[in-house]
Amino acid sequence: QQRVGRAARNGMRLTVSILLAVVAAVLLPMIAQLSNNRILPEKLAIAVDLMGWDGLMNVTRENIATRLLGHKKTSSREAYHSLLNTLAEVDLKYLGPERAVISPDDIAEGHRMINHLLRTGMEFYVEQSPKHPKLRRYVSPTRKLMGDNPDALYYFAPIDIQATSNKGYVIKGRRHPDEVYFSITLYGANTFAGFADRVIGEMNDRKLIPSAPPHSEKNTSSGVNDGGDASYYFELYITPERPVGSRNWLRLTPNVTCVITRHYFERVGTPAAVDPTVERRIDMSISNLGLNAGAQPQSPLPDLEMSQRLKLVEEFVRERTVGRPKQDPTKAPPWFSFQPNTIGKPAMWGGEGNNDDGGMGAVDIAYAAGFFKLEEGQSIELTGKIPKCAFANVVLWNRFLQSLDYEHRAVSLNRKQMTLSTEGTYKILLSSAPPSEGENEI
């Protein structure tokens, strides 16, 4: 019935077009004569100058056909409306009693989170592709998801072995000299833009073998001169098989969907994620080894390609909201506590049973988390001892795994910002009151 109806509409549109063409054959010479005599209204004359008579006729014909038959069906329009429908579904189901989101303020905060997801999906899947990937900021002070950290910068690129003709990618770059931890992780998922459910490969700065700086990059595109220090430069191949002579390599398999780089900093004062000078000194690029030198992405995107990319955005949003299973306190990893005001036992993400529900953790990072629940005027005291490690901090998230406002408030502390005892122990106060000078308060 749908096919018959569509055929009928197309037939009517063709009939209307033929009738308009006949009318145009009679009227256009008359209108053209008016144009030559400068009698046409100014707006119509401008339209003729911009589109020509054929273009103007096409617009007129489509306007009439739209009024009679409705808007033209296109692949991208269909995908766009499907995305809008998914956003409406997320609003009603994910931000509702099914997920225990019931207060007006929680719903409002959820709307902010959904918009962050939408912006991220657009950035990753409309504005780039696995064929021409770019390493772009995964989160920022105004776009947060999946448990971001104010002391870290994250970069993301979608990758797909098929987009490279099975040849893979290479990442080249220069690390920030003040990074205390850097890693590159490959993630897999059941669908291309779906929720990451496994780590496929990982390499951190302890394993990474530096490369000699390019001769032309003593002064890089960021304008920073590191004196050609080879310890900052690296080259990593992400390919099905290890290239001969390569220093750093991760295997690319068909189920790899993205690569994420992490850059952690321990510094006093402004968090790294909000300091523009930090980003300027991180210089990386990813290249598709299956493309000829100088190959450029298609622009503008044709109808079918835009449709496919919008479907990925829809998948990205859905898989991180209504597509996720509801939280089951009995199946939480050991490092996460569902008991209010209690922190789970720290555990490495890569350990058995520590990431069964998937996510964007790093295998060499130990996590410990839990919910806080405070009445007005109450506070929590966190005490513990920081072990020997490359980086450590504490950060507050909302219920949607977004860090709180670290641009204007102290919502995190790293080791350099904490006051520690001689034994390395800490005492941190979590409170709604403004922090006191010299105290470990968030």
Side-chain angles (χ1 to χ4, degrees):
Q1 288 177 343
Q2 290 176 344
R3 286 196 297 269
V4 170
R6 190 179 301 114
R9 287 194 298 272
N10 291 339
M12 291 180 64
R13 185 178 290 273
L14 178 60
T15 302
V16 171
S17 298
I18 293 174
L19 291 174
L20 288 173
V22 173
V23 173
V26 176
L27 294 181
L28 277 179
M30 300 170 58
I31 299 175
Q33 185 62 41
L34 294 175
S35 176
N36 294 333
N37 296 333
R38 302 294 180 182
I39 301 177
L40 280 181
E42 184 178 0
K43 289 183 180 180
L44 184 57
I46 293 174
V48 172
D49 289 340
L50 289 173
M51 296 181 287
W53 287 108
D54 288 343
L56 181 61
M57 191 60 210
N58 286 337
V59 171
T60 303
R61 182 176 64 244
E62 285 299 323
N63 265 308
I64 296 174
T66 297
R67 293 188 180 189
L68 293 175
L69 307 174
H71 289 284
K72 179 180 288 185
K73 305 294 184 183
T74 70
S75 296
S76 63
R77 176 167 285 156
E78 183 179 354
Y80 183 74
H81 288 174
S82 181
L83 172 59
L84 294 178
N85 290 336
T86 292
L87 291 173
E89 180 185 355
V90 171
D91 170 42
L92 297 178
K93 291 186 177 180
Y94 194 72
L95 304 182
E98 288 186 27
R99 304 282 177 153
V101 181
I102 55 176
S103 77
D105 289 346
D106 280 350
I107 294 172
E109 194 166 27
H111 287 141
R112 180 171 178 260
M113 179 274 297
I114 293 171
N115 279 287
H116 286 196
L117 280 176
L118 181 61
R119 288 169 56 196
T120 303
M122 289 290 184
E123 183 76 13
F124 290 166
Y125 298 107
V126 171
E127 301 303 330
Q128 63 170 324
S129 71
K131 191 173 183 179
H132 297 276
K134 298 288 185 183
L135 284 163
R136 297 186 175 178
R137 286 281 294 271
Y138 188 67
V139 291
S140 73
T142 58
R143 184 168 50 82
K144 305 174 180 182
L145 64 155
M146 301 299 296
D148 62 294
N149 194 320
D151 289 316
L153 276 72
Y154 307 83
Y155 291 82
F156 172 102
I159 59 177
D160 181 4
I161 192 171
Q162 294 183 354
T164 70
S165 300
N166 292 322
K167 293 185 178 180
Y169 303 87
V170 61
I171 295 179
K172 297 181 180 181
R174 185 200 56 191
R175 296 178 50 214
H176 194 294
D178 295 335
E179 290 174 356
V180 296
Y181 167 82
F182 166 72
S183 71
I184 300 174
T185 309
L186 305 182
Y187 291 96
N190 293 326
T191 56
F192 184 68
F195 190 84
D197 60 7
R198 54 196 174 275
V199 173
I200 307 298
E202 183 269 347
M203 181 171 292
N204 62 32
D205 54 275
R206 274 64 173 172
K207 306 172 188 175
L208 197 69
I209 301 175
S211 303
H215 295 298
S216 62
E217 289 193 11
K218 282 191 175 182
N219 287 288
T220 65
S221 59
S222 61
V224 178
N225 188 346
D226 288 321
D229 190 331
S231 64
Y232 298 135
Y233 291 84
F234 70 91
E235 187 175 82
L236 172 73
Y237 285 87
I238 305 173
T239 55
E241 301 296 335
R242 184 164 195 159
V244 176
S246 61
R247 294 187 175 189
N248 305 294
W249 173 70
L250 290 174
R251 185 181 298 277
L252 180 62
T253 60
N255 56 356
V256 173
T257 59
C258 68
V259 57
I260 286 184
T261 69
R262 290 174 168 83
H263 311 255
Y264 279 70
F265 300 83
E266 281 189 325
R267 41 188 265 164
V268 178
T270 305
V274 79
D275 186 348
T277 65
V278 173
E279 183 175 8
R280 285 200 293 266
R281 297 186 72 180
I282 297 175
D283 202 354
M284 298 183 301
S285 66
I286 181 170
S287 301
N288 184 341
L289 297 174
L291 293 181
N292 296 325
Q296 297 294 322
Q298 192 173 15
S299 180
L301 296 176
D303 176 45
L304 185 59
E305 178 67 19
M306 177 59 79
S307 170
Q308 293 170 344
R309 296 193 183 194
L310 287 173
K311 289 177 181 178
L312 290 175
V313 176
E314 179 183 3
E315 180 181 291
F316 180 82
V317 173
R318 175 177 291 278
E319 288 299 304
R320 285 152 184 82
T321 51
V322 292
R324 295 290 297 145
K326 298 175 183 178
Q327 287 184 330
D328 184 348
T330 65
K331 296 181 180 180
W335 55 267
F336 195 98
S337 172
F338 274 89
Q339 182 179 347
N341 303 331
T342 303
I343 301 294
K345 184 179 180 181
M348 299 294 288
W349 177 267
E352 185 177 354
N354 292 337
N355 62 357
D356 292 346
D357 289 334
M360 289 290 195
V363 296
D364 52 5
I365 294 181
Y367 298 89
F371 288 103
F372 63 88
K373 183 179 180 180
L374 296 174
E375 302 295 337
E376 189 68 30
Q378 291 183 331
S379 60
I380 299 174
E381 186 177 82
L382 304 174
T383 59
K385 183 177 182 179
I386 295 178
K388 183 179 180 180
C389 57
F391 169 88
N393 84 338
V394 59
V395 58
L396 300 181
W397 296 337
N398 64 14
R399 65 182 300 159
F400 302 111
L401 300 185
Q402 297 175 293
S403 65
L404 303 189
D405 178 14
Y406 54 79
E407 287 190 279
H408 306 98
R409 295 170 176 80
V411 302
S412 67
L413 288 172
N414 61 48
R415 283 183 300 188
K416 286 193 174 181
Q417 295 167 334
M418 296 179 192
T419 301
L420 301 174
S421 71
T422 55
E423 292 80 22
T425 60
Y426 59 83
K427 184 185 295 184
I428 300 172
L429 192 66
L430 168 58
S431 171
S432 61
S436 303
E437 188 174 348
E439 297 293 333
N440 294 333
E441 294 187 31
I442 52 177

